[in-house]
Amino acid sequence: MAATFDNGFFDFVGTMFIVLAIAGVCLMLLTVGSGLLFTGIHRRLRQARERAGGLNSAELRSSRAGSWLGLTGGLALWLISVVLSRFSSSTEPFSELLLYFSGFPIVTWCMLSGSIAGNRRSVRSACWTGAALFLLAGNPVGFLWSAAKLLVAVEPADQQIVLLWGSVRLLLAATVGMTTGLLAVRTVRPATAASIA
């Protein structure tokens, strides 16, 4: 006897497929667009520095080193997020899709942040600038949202794990940003390392 399915079931499946497709396209456009925006800002800043100090100035070389260090650090942060997401369950809609699509904007933002941090005049300024800008790649809004949900959570144990992972991610992002600024200035402009203030 042939199995019969209600037409409502097929309508529901088709509707869900359309919703998921639209959400995927919107997420892709959002993440790719923001990544292209960060890349464009980075390029404009680089051109402005080239016009101001020449192609081989110390500031431009440390900025270039910072951008490469930032790219590497951003890629590492994104890969760590992908790996650790296997051990934590998220109830947010399209969380997995957003996690994978977020790689491009995170890497380009960290590249821009490393370039800005490397252009600072002192080690201390480069470290704090890198830490502050990389902190945004750690998703502080998501951390605050998790903290707010913890106050009204029915099962606080699950939410505490999410909050702990958010704290680790913010601390890791700030540490990578500080290291990026430090290395960008010290490796290219070692004389600047003496001027900590």
Side-chain angles (χ1 to χ4, degrees):
M1 184 170 132
T4 59
F5 292 95
D6 188 5
N7 288 335
F9 173 76
F10 291 107
D11 293 339
F12 173 75
V13 172
T15 303
M16 288 301 298
F17 179 78
I18 293 173
V19 169
L20 288 173
I22 293 174
V25 170
C26 290
L27 286 174
M28 185 175 65
L29 291 175
L30 177 65
T31 54
V32 172
S34 57
L36 291 175
L37 174 64
F38 300 148
T39 304
I41 295 173
H42 175 259
R43 183 176 179 182
R44 292 294 298 271
L45 288 176
R46 176 67 55 78
Q47 291 173 346
R49 289 171 188 146
E50 288 176 354
R51 288 193 298 268
L55 293 174
N56 202 31
S57 63
E59 289 79 8
L60 185 63
R61 284 186 287 115
S62 61
S63 176
R64 188 178 295 118
S67 67
W68 284 108
L69 289 167
L71 186 147
T72 305
L75 185 61
L77 288 175
W78 178 71
L79 289 175
I80 290 172
S81 297
V82 170
V83 171
L84 292 183
S85 69
R86 305 293 100 196
F87 304 99
S88 63
S89 58
S90 176
T91 58
E92 301 300 328
F94 310 113
S95 59
E96 291 290 325
L97 199 60
L98 183 59
L99 178 64
Y100 288 109
F101 279 156
S102 66
F104 184 46
I106 286 177
V107 169
T108 52
W109 171 256
C110 291
M111 187 175 183
L112 172 63
S113 303
S115 176
I116 295 173
N119 197 48
R120 302 297 95 187
R121 293 187 176 275
S122 67
V123 171
R124 177 177 294 177
S125 177
C127 289
W128 284 114
T129 301
L133 292 175
F134 267 72
L135 198 62
L136 297 178
N139 191 14
V141 176
F143 172 78
L144 294 176
W145 178 250
S146 298
K149 287 174 66 177
L150 180 62
L151 299 176
V152 295
V154 179
E155 298 180 359
D158 295 337
Q159 205 59 36
Q160 286 175 357
I161 295 175
V162 176
L163 192 63
L164 177 62
W165 160 230
S167 304
V168 171
R169 184 167 54 187
L170 287 176
L171 182 62
L172 184 62
T175 303
V176 172
M178 187 173 291
T179 305
T180 297
L182 174 69
L183 293 177
V185 173
R186 276 197 170 176
T187 54
V188 178
R189 294 179 285 169
T192 312
S195 59
I196 302 297

